């Protein structure tokens, strides 16, 4: 018989291991075998991180010793082994029957009196601190959980808003039994853990009143790409179970950690979730908690303000740094947080190692490419940058799980840990509800399959038996296509790539692809286009936002009103979205240079933005009309350019992303360049201050002929080979009559570019190219290298092949 120690006030090393109950403040990360990963982590943070400002609710934990004492004193192991003798986890019905029998046996066996007394004493001490019958969260914590390669997240049960001693004892007993949930049995079998070597600890922790505020999950790494310098925070109203289980589509916030630590405010993205329901205390009913609708006003507002987002991100950094130091290896973290609606304090309620991105092989770049598009059935948030195919299997109830077959695409409202036995058979997962940190998303990543979550209508649009392709390889929007579409998978080893003298940069316009692109070997971004962000995220003409009340187009006015619901000042919608989009690209490649081209829409393209027709002229040839530099200082657009400047100042100064270099497009004369610089300076973007460099596009013959004079105005040049070719050869490449004459390899174009490179370098300035030509033609890339160009900026998909070509050219082969 095990010896029992009840008194938990002071412990020698031997006595601590024989305690039935321990205060959370007296355990640490070394005590995982004693109180499980979850409780050990809580104790570690209470001891080590509370002095650094990380708040963790206090409580106590039953020990693994207590669990084993319960099993041995009642002679349960032999009976359980007999039940498990016939286990077949591949048979869902068999798994369910075995799990049900094991749990029933555990629940029918009473706790030993001495264990009940130990829990009673610990709970009464908690009540002395917080009041009689204080409300607590009762969570299971297995001794094998939260390992770097196996999370065990959600395998056992959690009970919230538990009141009174009777409720606490009952919840602890249920947690013990939950070591044999169907999902836990299946997960242990998959991970090759012995069912009888693992013990269960129960954490009893003071509830944070997030039912009156908000809660969520955050990761210290980008969950999709593995980009380690971003913290991803999700938030919804009420208790956190809805976010974890994927019952709501939460808000998402992205924060850049390196400049946050320097004291900046680098919120890279804020995405509004629908947050339709919230879990609250059920004060008048028979249940502990219940879900209620969220008001329209709250649904259309962010659950956290900027200061709270940054405070959570700081905690995320502190926790990650601590665990990385303790483990001696970089350890990204998966963290649950809650805001107390009574005190407005932010608490950390769980922290465990992230188990997917941290385990990936880092020296191989694996990319998926859809080779053909088709009809899109539904869209949602993409999880896992992969593509999967199979027949849709719509399952709305856990009792239908036995119908699922290997290779099917699981289509459902949402998943919880009970669904894991069939999730491992799926080729992809599609859900109506959930965000990037929900259960479906976490398990899909762990299984290495794509998931599209938060679709809203997947279970009504998709039908069982339909052949579908699930694509998560096209940015943050995941798409479910009709039929089996062809796709390719490319694996590129990165460890033996050559180093070149010529800088290899990338053209990046879409912020959603930035974290993926930065994994490709590069020297920074040679061209970040504002146009993609303005057209796809902002959608409205800047002057239409400034003059919103005077808009004549009622439909455009209505659409702008919908887009800017959260903004009393419509112009801040433009500034926020542009700053966040460019900030994301700049953060992805930080501290490498990121050259951001100021807006280069033509007047007809500006007119196509919401409200744009009212502010744009009709030009016969917009390509050589009112575009680029000529707009910025013009009284007819100056206010619109001011918004661009405000956004770029926020990126460089507030977010701390001073690696951003600004570039002026279509600048016809040096005098015009000076006027643009003066306009920028009015809005705090002064060339030379805070290291600000300003480049100019070299895309007009005048830029080449007067390169010496432009060198006195600007810090560098970037050749735009598309426009330079059109203007050198005097043709419109969009005209089918002369398009066949468009060729950047034409000798006139090559001589023009050679002259530009020679003149600029003679005047001590940098010159690169961001046009399409070197991405399309290896021989053109060789020509540029031979001319001594400083950098070549390429489309992401052509970087590696062009890199090898440049290396050969530089070596003389």
């Amino acid at each position: 018989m095990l010896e029992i120690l009840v008194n938990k006030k002071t412990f020698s090393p031997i006595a601590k291991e024989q305690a039935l109950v321990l205060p959370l403040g007296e355990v640490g990360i070394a005590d995982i075998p004693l109180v499980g990963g979850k409780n050990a982590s809580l104790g570690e943070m209470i001891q080590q991180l509370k002095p650094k400002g990380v708040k963790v609710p206090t409580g106590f934990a039953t020990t693994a010793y207590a669990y084993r004492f319960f099993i041995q004193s009642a002679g349960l192991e032999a009976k359980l082994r007999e039940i498990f003798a016939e286990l077949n986890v591949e048979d869902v019905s068999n798994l369910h029957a075995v799990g049900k029998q094991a749990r029933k046996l555990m629940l029918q066996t009473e706790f030993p009196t001495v264990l009940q007394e130990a829990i009673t004493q610990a709970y009464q001490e908690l009540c002395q601190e917080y009041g009689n019958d204080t409300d607590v969260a009762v969570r299971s914590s297995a001794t094998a959980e939260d390992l770097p390669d196996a999370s065990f997240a959600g395998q056992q049960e959690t009970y919230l808003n538990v009141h009174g001693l009777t409720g606490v004892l009952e919840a602890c007993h249920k947690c013990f039994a939950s070591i044999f949930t169907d999902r836990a049995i299946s997960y242990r079998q998959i991970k090759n853990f012995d069912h009888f070597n693992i013990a269960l600890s129960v954490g009893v922790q003071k509830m944070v009143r997030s039912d009156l505020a908000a809660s969520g999950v955050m990761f210290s790494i980008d969950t999709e790409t593995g980009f380690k310098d971003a913290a991803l925070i999700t938030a919804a109203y009420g208790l956190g179970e809805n976010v974890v289980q994927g019952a709501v589509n939460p808000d998402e916030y992205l924060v850049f950690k390196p400049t946050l630590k320097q004291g900046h405010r680098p919120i890279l993205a804020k995405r509004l979730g629908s947050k339709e329901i919230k879990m609250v205390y059920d004060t008048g009913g028979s249940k502990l908690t219940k879900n209620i609708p969220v008001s329209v006003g709250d649904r259309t507002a962010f659950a956290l303000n900027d200061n709270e987002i940054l405070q959570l991100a700081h905690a995320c950094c502190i926790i990650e740094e601590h665990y990385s130091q303790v483990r001696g290896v970089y350890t990204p973290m998966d963290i649950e947080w809650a805001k107390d609606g009574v005190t407005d304090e932010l608490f950390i309620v769980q922290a465990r190692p992230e188990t997917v991105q941290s385990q990936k092989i880092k020296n191989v770049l694996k990319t998926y490419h859809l080779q053909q598009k088709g009809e899109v059935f539904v869209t949602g948030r993409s999880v896992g940058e992969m593509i999967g195919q199979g027949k849709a299997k719509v399952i709305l109830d856990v009792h239908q799980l036995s119908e699922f077959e290997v290779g099917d695409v699981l289509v459902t409202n949402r998943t919880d840990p009970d669904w894991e036995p069939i999730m491992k058979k799926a080729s992809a997962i599609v859900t109506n509800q959930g965000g990037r940190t929900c259960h479906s998303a976490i398990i899909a990543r762990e299984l290495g399959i794509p998931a599209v979550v938060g679709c809203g209508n997947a279970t009504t649009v998709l039908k069982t038996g339909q052949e579908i392709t699930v694509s998560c390889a096209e940015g943050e929007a995941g798409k479910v296509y009709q039929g089996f579409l062809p796709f390719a998978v490319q694996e590129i080893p990165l460890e033996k790539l050559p180093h070149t003298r010529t800088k290899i940069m990338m053209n990046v316009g879409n912020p959603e692809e930035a974290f993926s692109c930065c994994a490709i070997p590069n020297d920074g971004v040679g061209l970040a286009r504002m146009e993609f962000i303005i057209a796809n995220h902002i959608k409205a003409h800047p002057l239409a936002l400034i003059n919103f009340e005077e808009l004549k187009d009622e439909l455009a006015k209505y659409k702008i009103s919908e887009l800017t619901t959260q903004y009393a000042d419509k112009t801040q919608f433009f500034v926020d979205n542009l700053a966040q989009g460019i900030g994301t690209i700049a953060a992805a490649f930080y501290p490498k240079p990121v050259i951001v081209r100021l807006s280069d829409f033509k007047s007809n393209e500006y007119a196509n933005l919401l409200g744009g027709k009212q502010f744009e002229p009709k030009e016969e040839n917009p390509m050589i009309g009112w575009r680029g530099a000529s707009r910025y200082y013009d009284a007819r657009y100056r206010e619109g350019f001011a918004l661009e400047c405000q956004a770029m100042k926020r990126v460089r100064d507030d977010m701390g992303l001073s690696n951003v270099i600004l570039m002026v497009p279509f600048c016809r004369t040096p005098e015009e360049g000076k006027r643009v610089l003066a306009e920028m300076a009015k809005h705090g973007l002064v060339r030379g201050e805070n290291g600000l460099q300003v480049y100019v596009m070299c895309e007009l013959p005048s830029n080449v002929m007067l390169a010496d004079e432009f060198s006195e105005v600007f810090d560098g040049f970037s050749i735009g080979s598309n426009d330079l070719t059109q203007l050198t050869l005097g043709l419109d490449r969009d005209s089918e009559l002369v398009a066949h004459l468009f060729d950047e390899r034409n000798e006139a174009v090559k001589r023009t570019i050679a002259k530009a490179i020679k003149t600029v370098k003679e005047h001590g300035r940098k010159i690169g190219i961001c046009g399409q030509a070197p991405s399309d033609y290896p021989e053109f890339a060789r020509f540029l290298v031979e001319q001594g160009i400083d950098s070549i900026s390429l489309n992401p998909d052509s970087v590696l092949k062009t890199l090898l070509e440049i290396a050969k050219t530089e070596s003389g082969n």
Side-chain angles (χ1 to χ4, degrees):
M1 177 63 68
L2 294 168
E3 291 185 25
I4 303 163
L5 180 68
V6 181
N7 182 1
K8 56 182 176 49
K9 289 298 183 184
T10 57
F11 300 99
S12 66
I14 297 174
K16 185 178 182 181
E17 294 170 2
Q18 295 178 337
L20 294 173
V21 172
L22 290 169
L24 287 175
E26 294 185 17
V27 297
I29 203 66
D31 295 315
I32 290 177
L34 191 60
V35 292
K38 193 176 299 177
N39 291 330
S41 182
L42 288 171
E44 179 78 10
M45 290 189 291
I46 289 171
Q47 287 190 61
Q48 303 296 328
L49 302 185
K50 190 175 179 180
K52 297 181 179 180
V54 176
K55 296 179 180 179
V56 182
T58 189
F60 62 90
T62 66
T63 63
Y65 177 86
Y67 172 83
R68 293 192 175 101
F69 174 66
F70 168 59
I71 296 292
Q72 289 188 24
S73 64
L76 292 178
E77 184 170 341
K79 297 175 184 177
L80 288 166
R81 286 188 180 277
E82 188 177 331
I83 293 170
F84 274 77
E86 303 300 321
L87 174 65
N88 176 9
V89 295
E90 299 302 323
D91 182 339
V92 174
S93 298
N94 171 272
L95 172 63
H96 181 66
V98 168
K100 184 177 180 180
Q101 203 174 346
R103 294 190 299 275
K104 183 179 179 182
L105 176 63
M106 295 282 281
L107 289 170
Q108 287 178 341
T109 305
E110 287 191 9
F111 272 177
T113 302
V114 69
L115 177 56
Q116 292 188 45
E117 290 174 349
I119 294 171
T120 299
Q121 181 182 340
Y123 180 63
Q124 287 174 343
E125 290 183 7
L126 201 60
C127 290
Q128 288 174 11
E129 185 174 354
Y130 293 106
N132 291 337
D133 293 338
T134 192
D135 52 339
V136 291
V138 181
R139 294 187 172 94
S140 309
S141 179
T143 55
E145 73 182 356
D146 296 348
L147 303 176
D149 59 349
S151 71
F152 281 77
Q155 300 304 319
Q156 288 84 33
E157 299 294 355
T158 290
Y159 299 93
L160 304 177
N161 186 27
V162 178
H163 287 262
L165 178 59
T166 301
V168 170
L169 288 168
E170 183 181 326
C172 288
H173 202 163
K174 288 179 179 177
C175 284
F176 271 31
S178 74
I179 198 169
F180 296 119
T181 59
D182 298 358
R183 63 206 184 232
I185 294 168
S186 174
Y187 192 84
R188 286 194 296 268
Q189 198 90 347
I190 293 167
K191 292 291 185 180
N192 294 315
F193 284 92
D194 189 315
H195 298 291
F196 301 100
N197 279 349
I198 292 175
L200 191 124
S201 166
V202 180
V204 178
Q205 192 180 24
K206 176 69 180 78
M207 278 291 295
V208 176
R209 291 302 305 269
S210 58
D211 61 306
L212 304 174
S215 57
V217 178
M218 59 183 175
F219 285 83
S220 67
I221 190 171
D222 182 62
T223 53
E224 302 313 308
T225 62
F227 180 67
K228 68 179 184 178
D229 284 338
L232 172 69
I233 302 168
T234 60
Y237 300 113
L239 302 174
E241 290 300 293
N242 281 343
V243 177
V244 174
Q245 294 173 5
V248 294
N249 299 339
D251 296 339
E252 288 186 6
Y253 315 104
L254 206 60
V255 181
F256 186 54
K257 296 187 295 185
T259 58
L260 176 73
K261 295 174 186 177
Q262 297 168 14
H264 294 284
R265 298 173 63 85
I267 299 175
L268 302 178
K270 294 168 68 175
R271 303 184 184 102
L272 191 70
S274 56
K275 308 183 295 292
E276 294 176 351
I277 58 173
K278 63 178 176 180
M279 184 179 287
V280 298
Y281 283 13
D282 188 5
T283 53
S286 58
K287 295 183 178 180
L288 302 174
T289 60
K290 64 180 179 181
N291 277 314
I292 62 172
V294 175
S295 69
V296 174
D298 283 346
R299 286 174 56 187
T300 55
F302 285 114
L304 293 174
N305 62 42
D306 286 1
N307 288 336
E308 290 167 337
I309 294 166
L310 295 169
Q311 185 181 338
L312 284 172
H314 271 295
C316 195
C317 293
I318 292 168
I319 293 167
E320 180 185 72
E321 287 174 356
H322 177 77
Y323 279 86
S324 297
Q325 186 175 7
V326 167
R327 293 176 181 272
V329 62
Y330 170 63
T331 304
M333 299 296 290
D334 169 357
I335 301 160
E336 292 180 30
W337 63 270
K339 178 183 176 182
D340 194 300
V342 177
T343 65
D344 283 341
E345 294 174 289
L346 292 167
F347 289 90
I348 303 301
V349 294
Q350 283 190 44
R352 62 177 74 88
E354 189 273 347
T355 57
V356 179
Q357 294 295 346
S358 57
Q359 299 302 306
K360 284 190 175 179
I361 300 171
K362 301 297 183 184
N363 59 354
V364 175
L365 182 67
K366 189 173 184 179
T367 55
Y368 287 70
H369 303 280
L370 198 62
Q371 296 176 315
Q372 178 185 322
K373 298 291 180 74
E375 181 185 350
V376 177
F377 280 148
V378 294
T379 61
R381 298 284 285 137
S382 68
V383 175
E385 299 179 302
M386 294 168 283
I387 298 172
Q389 296 176 331
K391 290 185 177 180
K393 184 63 69 71
V394 180
I395 294 185
L396 300 177
D397 188 273
V398 70
H399 297 105
Q400 297 176 272
L401 298 187
S402 59
E403 301 171 13
F404 197 83
E405 297 180 9
V406 174
D408 285 347
V409 176
L410 175 60
V411 182
T412 187
N413 281 317
R414 62 183 174 91
T415 65
D416 60 38
D418 286 330
W419 295 61
E420 288 174 27
I422 68 162
M423 293 172 77
K424 62 186 174 67
K425 300 179 181 180
S427 60
I429 297 169
V430 182
T431 70
N432 289 341
Q433 302 166 352
R436 286 205 289 162
T437 59
C438 73
H439 175 266
S440 302
I442 290 171
I443 298 303
R445 291 188 201 100
E446 193 166 321
L447 294 173
I449 59 175
V452 180
V453 300
C455 297
N457 60 347
T459 56
T460 54
V461 174
L462 300 174
K463 308 298 180 187
T464 291
Q466 282 179 328
E467 293 182 344
I468 57 176
T469 297
V470 179
S471 173
C472 295
E474 303 170 71
E476 69 175 36
K479 300 175 183 177
V480 180
Y481 291 95
Q482 179 180 14
F484 292 162
L485 301 179
F487 66 92
V489 184
Q490 185 179 24
E491 289 192 2
I492 303 166
L494 301 178
E495 51 192 12
K496 295 183 179 179
L497 289 173
H499 179 73
T500 60
R501 175 196 61 76
T502 308
K503 301 292 184 186
I504 307 298
M505 305 179 86
M506 266 190 278
N507 299 331
V508 181
N510 185 354
E512 296 163 14
E513 297 175 353
F515 289 172
S516 299
C517 290
C518 71
I520 302 169
N522 68 86
D523 293 303
V525 173
L527 176 63
R529 304 177 186 90
M530 282 188 182
E531 295 82 47
F532 182 93
I533 299 166
I534 295 171
N536 291 278
H537 294 273
I538 297 171
K539 301 179 183 178
H541 195 289
L543 295 180
L545 295 168
I546 293 169
N547 301 286
F548 178 73
E549 298 301 332
E550 287 75 47
L551 281 183
K552 297 171 185 174
D553 185 337
E554 291 298 327
L555 179 59
K557 194 170 185 178
Y558 172 76
K559 289 181 177 179
I560 291 173
S561 181
E562 279 196 319
L563 279 170
T564 59
T565 302
Q566 298 171 292
Y567 291 85
D569 180 354
K570 306 295 183 190
T571 64
Q572 287 310 301
F573 170 76
F574 185 98
V575 174
D576 284 358
N577 279 274
L578 185 56
Q580 289 170 15
I582 294 298
T584 298
I585 297 172
F589 293 85
Y590 183 88
K592 298 171 186 173
V594 172
I595 301 172
V596 177
R597 187 177 68 191
L598 298 163
S599 66
D600 193 26
F601 280 131
K602 303 167 190 70
S603 56
N604 59 323
E605 294 167 334
Y606 263 121
N608 288 330
L609 296 173
L610 290 173
K613 290 182 176 63
Q614 186 172 329
F615 303 98
E616 293 297 327
K618 288 185 178 179
E619 297 185 278
E620 290 299 323
N621 195 340
M623 201 279 284
I624 53 173
W626 195 40
R627 61 179 285 202
S630 61
R631 296 181 71 97
Y632 304 155
Y633 56 84
D634 191 305
R636 291 168 293 180
Y637 188 73
R638 182 178 284 140
E639 289 181 298
F641 182 61
L643 300 184
E644 290 182 37
C645 292
Q646 289 173 35
M648 293 307 96
K649 182 171 173 57
R650 182 179 298 179
V651 170
R652 286 182 48 84
D653 296 353
D654 296 353
M655 295 184 181
L657 294 164
S658 55
N659 58 321
V660 164
I661 296 169
L662 297 178
M663 183 159 66
V664 179
F666 227 76
C667 185
R668 293 174 170 94
T669 67
E671 290 72 25
E672 190 171 50
K674 292 174 184 176
R675 294 188 71 175
V676 172
L677 291 178
E679 199 67 33
M680 292 168 63
K682 291 179 186 176
H683 305 288
L685 293 172
V686 180
R687 179 182 165 221
E689 282 190 9
N690 190 23
L692 174 60
Q693 296 183 63
V694 183
Y695 283 16
V696 65
M697 287 290 292
C698 183
E699 56 192 337
L700 302 165
S702 64
N703 300 141
V704 179
M705 302 307 294
L706 299 176
D708 54 343
E709 294 185 34
F710 277 103
S711 293
E712 296 175 9
V713 180
F714 296 102
D715 299 291
F717 295 70
S718 184
I719 298 167
S721 56
N722 293 349
D723 278 355
L724 188 58
T725 300
Q726 291 187 87
L727 294 168
T728 300
L729 298 179
L731 59 82
D732 178 2
R733 66 172 179 163
D734 293 328
S735 168
E736 70 276 8
L737 299 175
V738 294
H740 64 282
L741 296 171
F742 181 92
D743 190 341
E744 300 97 323
R745 296 166 295 177
N746 181 282
E747 187 61 29
V749 178
K750 289 173 69 176
R751 288 189 189 185
T752 301
I753 289 174
K755 177 177 175 61
I757 295 171
K758 182 174 184 293
T759 307
V760 169
K761 291 183 75 68
E762 284 175 351
H763 286 79
R765 297 300 190 196
K766 296 269 183 76
I767 184 165
I769 188 169
C770 60
Q772 184 70 24
S775 293
D776 291 343
Y777 307 117
E779 67 272 27
F780 196 83
R782 286 197 298 272
F783 158 73
L784 293 169
V785 172
E786 288 164 356
Q787 300 305 312
I789 200 164
D790 291 306
S791 64
I792 296 178
S793 193
L794 303 155
N795 297 335
D797 59 1
S798 61
V799 165
L800 294 174
K801 69 175 183 182
T802 310
L803 167 65
L804 297 175
E805 193 67 42
I806 290 171
K808 281 198 296 184
T809 303
E810 289 184 352
S811 65
N813 294 330

